[in-house]
Amino acid sequence: MADTTSQTLHFNEYFKVIRNRLWVIFTIFVLTVATGEYVTEWVLPKIYTASAEIQLHPNGEHSVVTIDGSPSEKSFDSTSFQAEFEIMQSPDVLLPIINDLQLDRIWAKRLYKGAMEKMHPLDALGYMNSVLHLDSKRGTNIIQITASSELPSEAADIANAVALRYQTMRQVAEDQQSSRGEESLKAQIDQQQKVVDDKKAEVDKMRDAAGKAGVDLTSPSSGSSTREETDLDERQRDLLSAKVDYDARRVLLQQVQNLPDDEFDTTMDALGRENAKIGGLRTEVLNIQSDITNLLKDGFEENHPRIQSLRAEIDSKKQQIKDLIAGARRAMVVDTDMAQSRVALLQTEVDNLKVATRTHATSQIEPYLQAKRDFDEQQSLLDALSVRLHQVQADKQLLESPVKIITRASPPNYPSKPNKNMNLAISVLAGLFVGVVVAFLIEYLDTSVKTMADAESLLGLPVLTVIPNKGGPMPLNQEAARLPHAEGYRILRAKLDLKVQNGIGPSLSMLSGGPGEGKSTTIYNLAIVCAQAGQSVILVDCDLRRPTLHELVNLPNDRGLSNYLQGQGDAVEYIQQTNIPKLHLLASGDLPMSEIGVLAGDKIRMMLEDLKQRYDLVLVDSPPVLGISDGSIIAREVDYVILIIQHRRYPREISLRAKRAIEEVHGNCVGMVLNCVSVKSDDSYYYYSSYGNYYKKAGRNKKRKSSGTFF
């Protein structure tokens, strides 16, 4: 239960701090929000973004043809998709756009204020990557190209230029791959045409020779069929198929064996003979290069160990790719040699079968028939290659573009940055946070007296009364003494023992540690309350340096205490009657600056003894007790001393030193008065203001009854 109370009180203290420093929080809040609004509208640059959308197809998705004529389908994976991202941000794509749009000159003028004519290509490329953003729509092959700029038209031009440039590059690459396959087929056809022409010339020559010899090559006997001839036909068909395969491999080997590694790999991909391991290694190289680019953007140097390690890994991957391509070249040589060996083996079998069949055919007809069969075989191979060429050319005309522009970017009407709503929300939260922090910081640094408990625990004196800021340090008059805010002074009078004993009235002074704490006004208001209670009261203004009591009662100050201290008669000769009954004033008098310091304890003591016999109460106004000796003299000579502390004005050390100064002269300090207290700052002050509302209501009810109004 005790813990709960402690936590509640702790929360209440926080709430009080916020309530007391609400003006600080509000001021900082308004300034922060206004600053955020100003920075958003006038300081931060307006950034516009424009987006274009493109749809990608994998390389050769519709045009890949394998060596045997069958199509090969491809599809995008995540790694290939990321590789396309890197290509779109590569210098091959971006640098031509920078040159065509003259962005290097525009950005140099904008960023460097005309200090340079145009940016360095690498700097322009880095800036282009900073304003360009690529993103993919999840689950699709659509890429969104977004460009940012301070000009709406520039953002749209960059996005559209990147989309168009990448489309052109992909189309050119696709056409080159298709052209390589088409040229390879044309080379095979040209070689095969020569073979067919040679075979046809051989057949024609044999026909002419047989005609001259009178041999009929169309004789039925020439078509006799034996088991050897049947086997020969089968082996010749196998030989033809093997020769077709061998010729294709031989021509392909001749076309690609001297190509550089990159063109070799691209050509093999176009012919449907791609190596998955090489593709995977190239993708890994692109990913590592992307990591290096990101590290460079993040501020890493070229010689950083991490970047050096990544570059070493790239070199290793490239060496593996080179080794795999070399292995692929050797494999093609081995495959061609194996095909050649198979042709030689089948040729041997055919030759053996031909020897066997020659025993059943004439020596003149059989060579002609064999030559004609060879011619037919080569012609069939030529026709097959021609059909494949026509198919590739037809597919090339029907092939879709590898990149399709779905949406073109248009200049935006409104900026995307800064986000006004978000900035205002941040300003509101920051203003509240900073305001509360500053409020608690001020409260922490404020070492003044804040509560009655602070004052009593610090000084060990009771708080006799609290003067709310509504009524103090405002002076009262005869009519105002009846108002509710005068009740604090009545409480002070009630707590003090101000009775006349043995015909001698008490003397009382109010002291403060520093100027401006309201001691003169407080002692004047106490005098009015006591005079209205029927006591004869005299105010003695001992503040010879800054007298104020004569101004409060509207009396002259040409003569007074200073004249008495200079030996110019008795003090009673200078007493003046105020306009308040039973209230008199002994003003300070007009004391020259050369006479400052004439206040002496023996004369003050004699004056006070005389006045205490004449009045029920002697109230002495004094200068601050710290820094001036007059306050200490008066504290020693009066019967009672009250310490005046203005709420939240001076550090606690000032009040503590003031009390010590009074104790050092053996002054009788009976308590404290907290002056100018904001009753809303602490719940413990509530009753000092609640009685005011009570009296106000009572006054209104009295007036209503006197006017005949009843409730």
PDB file of all heavy atoms in Angstrom, residues 160-177:
ATOM      1  N   ASN A 160      12.069   7.453 -68.551  1.00  0.00           N
ATOM      2  CA  ASN A 160      11.765   6.983 -69.908  1.00  0.00           C
ATOM      3  C   ASN A 160      13.035   6.640 -70.683  1.00  0.00           C
ATOM      4  O   ASN A 160      13.067   5.670 -71.446  1.00  0.00           O
ATOM      5  CB  ASN A 160      10.968   8.051 -70.661  1.00  0.00           C
ATOM      6  CG  ASN A 160       9.554   8.197 -70.128  1.00  0.00           C
ATOM      7  OD1 ASN A 160       8.968   7.224 -69.657  1.00  0.00           O
ATOM      8  ND2 ASN A 160       9.017   9.396 -70.184  1.00  0.00           N
ATOM      9  N   ALA A 161      14.103   7.432 -70.488  1.00  0.00           N
ATOM     10  CA  ALA A 161      15.352   7.176 -71.212  1.00  0.00           C
ATOM     11  C   ALA A 161      15.975   5.861 -70.771  1.00  0.00           C
ATOM     12  O   ALA A 161      16.493   5.097 -71.595  1.00  0.00           O
ATOM     13  CB  ALA A 161      16.324   8.336 -70.992  1.00  0.00           C
ATOM     14  N   VAL A 162      15.937   5.555 -69.472  1.00  0.00           N
ATOM     15  CA  VAL A 162      16.481   4.282 -68.985  1.00  0.00           C
ATOM     16  C   VAL A 162      15.695   3.115 -69.559  1.00  0.00           C
ATOM     17  O   VAL A 162      16.274   2.111 -70.006  1.00  0.00           O
ATOM     18  CB  VAL A 162      16.471   4.254 -67.444  1.00  0.00           C
ATOM     19  CG1 VAL A 162      16.833   2.868 -66.927  1.00  0.00           C
ATOM     20  CG2 VAL A 162      17.435   5.283 -66.879  1.00  0.00           C
ATOM     21  N   ALA A 163      14.373   3.224 -69.570  1.00  0.00           N
ATOM     22  CA  ALA A 163      13.548   2.140 -70.112  1.00  0.00           C
ATOM     23  C   ALA A 163      13.833   1.925 -71.595  1.00  0.00           C
ATOM     24  O   ALA A 163      14.001   0.787 -72.056  1.00  0.00           O
ATOM     25  CB  ALA A 163      12.069   2.457 -69.887  1.00  0.00           C
ATOM     26  N   LEU A 164      13.918   3.015 -72.366  1.00  0.00           N
ATOM     27  CA  LEU A 164      14.145   2.906 -73.806  1.00  0.00           C
ATOM     28  C   LEU A 164      15.553   2.398 -74.113  1.00  0.00           C
ATOM     29  O   LEU A 164      15.749   1.559 -75.000  1.00  0.00           O
ATOM     30  CB  LEU A 164      13.910   4.268 -74.458  1.00  0.00           C
ATOM     31  CG  LEU A 164      13.976   4.304 -75.987  1.00  0.00           C
ATOM     32  CD1 LEU A 164      12.921   3.374 -76.587  1.00  0.00           C
ATOM     33  CD2 LEU A 164      13.786   5.731 -76.498  1.00  0.00           C
ATOM     34  N   ARG A 165      16.546   2.892 -73.380  1.00  0.00           N
ATOM     35  CA  ARG A 165      17.923   2.466 -73.615  1.00  0.00           C
ATOM     36  C   ARG A 165      18.100   0.983 -73.303  1.00  0.00           C
ATOM     37  O   ARG A 165      18.731   0.246 -74.074  1.00  0.00           O
ATOM     38  CB  ARG A 165      18.868   3.306 -72.736  1.00  0.00           C
ATOM     39  CG  ARG A 165      20.312   2.844 -72.727  1.00  0.00           C
ATOM     40  CD  ARG A 165      20.988   3.060 -74.059  1.00  0.00           C
ATOM     41  NE  ARG A 165      22.374   2.609 -74.032  1.00  0.00           N
ATOM     42  CZ  ARG A 165      23.164   2.568 -75.085  1.00  0.00           C
ATOM     43  NH1 ARG A 165      22.712   2.958 -76.267  1.00  0.00           N
ATOM     44  NH2 ARG A 165      24.405   2.152 -74.980  1.00  0.00           N
ATOM     45  N   TYR A 166      17.527   0.524 -72.207  1.00  0.00           N
ATOM     46  CA  TYR A 166      17.644  -0.887 -71.854  1.00  0.00           C
ATOM     47  C   TYR A 166      16.900  -1.754 -72.867  1.00  0.00           C
ATOM     48  O   TYR A 166      17.386  -2.831 -73.244  1.00  0.00           O
ATOM     49  CB  TYR A 166      17.082  -1.115 -70.458  1.00  0.00           C
ATOM     50  CG  TYR A 166      17.100  -2.560 -70.040  1.00  0.00           C
ATOM     51  CD1 TYR A 166      18.297  -3.219 -69.788  1.00  0.00           C
ATOM     52  CD2 TYR A 166      15.913  -3.278 -69.917  1.00  0.00           C
ATOM     53  CE1 TYR A 166      18.318  -4.549 -69.413  1.00  0.00           C
ATOM     54  CE2 TYR A 166      15.924  -4.616 -69.541  1.00  0.00           C
ATOM     55  CZ  TYR A 166      17.129  -5.240 -69.297  1.00  0.00           C
ATOM     56  OH  TYR A 166      17.143  -6.552 -68.942  1.00  0.00           O
ATOM     57  N   GLN A 167      15.746  -1.293 -73.338  1.00  0.00           N
ATOM     58  CA  GLN A 167      15.008  -2.039 -74.367  1.00  0.00           C
ATOM     59  C   GLN A 167      15.845  -2.184 -75.636  1.00  0.00           C
ATOM     60  O   GLN A 167      15.911  -3.267 -76.237  1.00  0.00           O
ATOM     61  CB  GLN A 167      13.688  -1.325 -74.677  1.00  0.00           C
ATOM     62  CG  GLN A 167      12.824  -2.063 -75.689  1.00  0.00           C
ATOM     63  CD  GLN A 167      11.623  -1.248 -76.118  1.00  0.00           C
ATOM     64  OE1 GLN A 167      11.748  -0.042 -76.336  1.00  0.00           O
ATOM     65  NE2 GLN A 167      10.465  -1.879 -76.225  1.00  0.00           N
ATOM     66  N   THR A 168      16.503  -1.089 -76.028  1.00  0.00           N
ATOM     67  CA  THR A 168      17.336  -1.130 -77.240  1.00  0.00           C
ATOM     68  C   THR A 168      18.509  -2.083 -77.078  1.00  0.00           C
ATOM     69  O   THR A 168      18.817  -2.879 -77.979  1.00  0.00           O
ATOM     70  CB  THR A 168      17.840   0.286 -77.558  1.00  0.00           C
ATOM     71  OG1 THR A 168      16.730   1.175 -77.703  1.00  0.00           O
ATOM     72  CG2 THR A 168      18.662   0.291 -78.828  1.00  0.00           C
ATOM     73  N   MET A 169      19.184  -2.045 -75.918  1.00  0.00           N
ATOM     74  CA  MET A 169      20.320  -2.931 -75.687  1.00  0.00           C
ATOM     75  C   MET A 169      19.904  -4.397 -75.715  1.00  0.00           C
ATOM     76  O   MET A 169      20.580  -5.244 -76.322  1.00  0.00           O
ATOM     77  CB  MET A 169      20.964  -2.596 -74.341  1.00  0.00           C
ATOM     78  CG  MET A 169      21.783  -1.328 -74.320  1.00  0.00           C
ATOM     79  SD  MET A 169      22.662  -1.116 -72.754  1.00  0.00           S
ATOM     80  CE  MET A 169      23.688  -2.572 -72.728  1.00  0.00           C
ATOM     81  N   ARG A 170      18.790  -4.707 -75.056  1.00  0.00           N
ATOM     82  CA  ARG A 170      18.327  -6.104 -75.053  1.00  0.00           C
ATOM     83  C   ARG A 170      17.944  -6.562 -76.452  1.00  0.00           C
ATOM     84  O   ARG A 170      18.205  -7.719 -76.838  1.00  0.00           O
ATOM     85  CB  ARG A 170      17.131  -6.234 -74.106  1.00  0.00           C
ATOM     86  CG  ARG A 170      17.486  -6.317 -72.631  1.00  0.00           C
ATOM     87  CD  ARG A 170      18.158  -7.648 -72.269  1.00  0.00           C
ATOM     88  NE  ARG A 170      17.390  -8.772 -72.697  1.00  0.00           N
ATOM     89  CZ  ARG A 170      16.360  -9.299 -72.021  1.00  0.00           C
ATOM     90  NH1 ARG A 170      16.024  -8.779 -70.847  1.00  0.00           N
ATOM     91  NH2 ARG A 170      15.703 -10.335 -72.488  1.00  0.00           N
ATOM     92  N   GLN A 171      17.324  -5.666 -77.243  1.00  0.00           N
ATOM     93  CA  GLN A 171      16.920  -6.041 -78.592  1.00  0.00           C
ATOM     94  C   GLN A 171      18.136  -6.306 -79.473  1.00  0.00           C
ATOM     95  O   GLN A 171      18.172  -7.273 -80.250  1.00  0.00           O
ATOM     96  CB  GLN A 171      16.072  -4.915 -79.200  1.00  0.00           C
ATOM     97  CG  GLN A 171      15.478  -5.264 -80.566  1.00  0.00           C
ATOM     98  CD  GLN A 171      14.501  -6.422 -80.480  1.00  0.00           C
ATOM     99  OE1 GLN A 171      13.571  -6.396 -79.693  1.00  0.00           O
ATOM    100  NE2 GLN A 171      14.736  -7.454 -81.291  1.00  0.00           N
ATOM    101  N   VAL A 172      19.166  -5.442 -79.335  1.00  0.00           N
ATOM    102  CA  VAL A 172      20.385  -5.631 -80.122  1.00  0.00           C
ATOM    103  C   VAL A 172      21.064  -6.950 -79.742  1.00  0.00           C
ATOM    104  O   VAL A 172      21.515  -7.710 -80.607  1.00  0.00           O
ATOM    105  CB  VAL A 172      21.336  -4.434 -79.903  1.00  0.00           C
ATOM    106  CG1 VAL A 172      22.713  -4.722 -80.507  1.00  0.00           C
ATOM    107  CG2 VAL A 172      20.748  -3.176 -80.512  1.00  0.00           C
ATOM    108  N   ALA A 173      21.151  -7.229 -78.430  1.00  0.00           N
ATOM    109  CA  ALA A 173      21.775  -8.475 -77.987  1.00  0.00           C
ATOM    110  C   ALA A 173      21.005  -9.688 -78.494  1.00  0.00           C
ATOM    111  O   ALA A 173      21.600 -10.692 -78.912  1.00  0.00           O
ATOM    112  CB  ALA A 173      21.861  -8.495 -76.458  1.00  0.00           C
ATOM    113  N   GLU A 174      19.669  -9.594 -78.466  1.00  0.00           N
ATOM    114  CA  GLU A 174      18.855 -10.715 -78.957  1.00  0.00           C
ATOM    115  C   GLU A 174      19.062 -10.934 -80.451  1.00  0.00           C
ATOM    116  O   GLU A 174      19.171 -12.074 -80.933  1.00  0.00           O
ATOM    117  CB  GLU A 174      17.386 -10.416 -78.655  1.00  0.00           C
ATOM    118  CG  GLU A 174      16.451 -11.597 -78.825  1.00  0.00           C
ATOM    119  CD  GLU A 174      16.505 -12.549 -77.649  1.00  0.00           C
ATOM    120  OE1 GLU A 174      17.150 -12.237 -76.633  1.00  0.00           O
ATOM    121  OE2 GLU A 174      15.893 -13.619 -77.764  1.00  0.00           O
ATOM    122  N   ASP A 175      19.132  -9.832 -81.214  1.00  0.00           N
ATOM    123  CA  ASP A 175      19.339  -9.945 -82.665  1.00  0.00           C
ATOM    124  C   ASP A 175      20.713 -10.548 -82.969  1.00  0.00           C
ATOM    125  O   ASP A 175      20.853 -11.346 -83.911  1.00  0.00           O
ATOM    126  CB  ASP A 175      19.216  -8.563 -83.314  1.00  0.00           C
ATOM    127  CG  ASP A 175      17.792  -8.033 -83.264  1.00  0.00           C
ATOM    128  OD1 ASP A 175      16.870  -8.851 -83.040  1.00  0.00           O
ATOM    129  OD2 ASP A 175      17.604  -6.812 -83.416  1.00  0.00           O
ATOM    130  N   GLN A 176      21.725 -10.166 -82.182  1.00  0.00           N
ATOM    131  CA  GLN A 176      23.064 -10.714 -82.417  1.00  0.00           C
ATOM    132  C   GLN A 176      23.102 -12.214 -82.165  1.00  0.00           C
ATOM    133  O   GLN A 176      23.721 -12.962 -82.924  1.00  0.00           O
ATOM    134  CB  GLN A 176      24.079  -9.998 -81.516  1.00  0.00           C
ATOM    135  CG  GLN A 176      24.347  -8.557 -81.914  1.00  0.00           C
ATOM    136  CD  GLN A 176      25.303  -7.863 -80.962  1.00  0.00           C
ATOM    137  OE1 GLN A 176      25.623  -8.396 -79.897  1.00  0.00           O
ATOM    138  NE2 GLN A 176      25.763  -6.672 -81.351  1.00  0.00           N
ATOM    139  N   GLN A 177      22.420 -12.662 -81.108  1.00  0.00           N
ATOM    140  CA  GLN A 177      22.389 -14.101 -80.836  1.00  0.00           C
ATOM    141  C   GLN A 177      21.687 -14.854 -81.956  1.00  0.00           C
ATOM    142  O   GLN A 177      22.140 -15.917 -82.407  1.00  0.00           O
ATOM    143  CB  GLN A 177      21.684 -14.356 -79.504  1.00  0.00           C
ATOM    144  CG  GLN A 177      22.467 -13.888 -78.292  1.00  0.00           C
ATOM    145  CD  GLN A 177      21.764 -14.215 -76.991  1.00  0.00           C
ATOM    146  OE1 GLN A 177      20.737 -14.877 -76.988  1.00  0.00           O
ATOM    147  NE2 GLN A 177      22.321 -13.731 -75.898  1.00  0.00           N
TER     148      GLN A 177
END
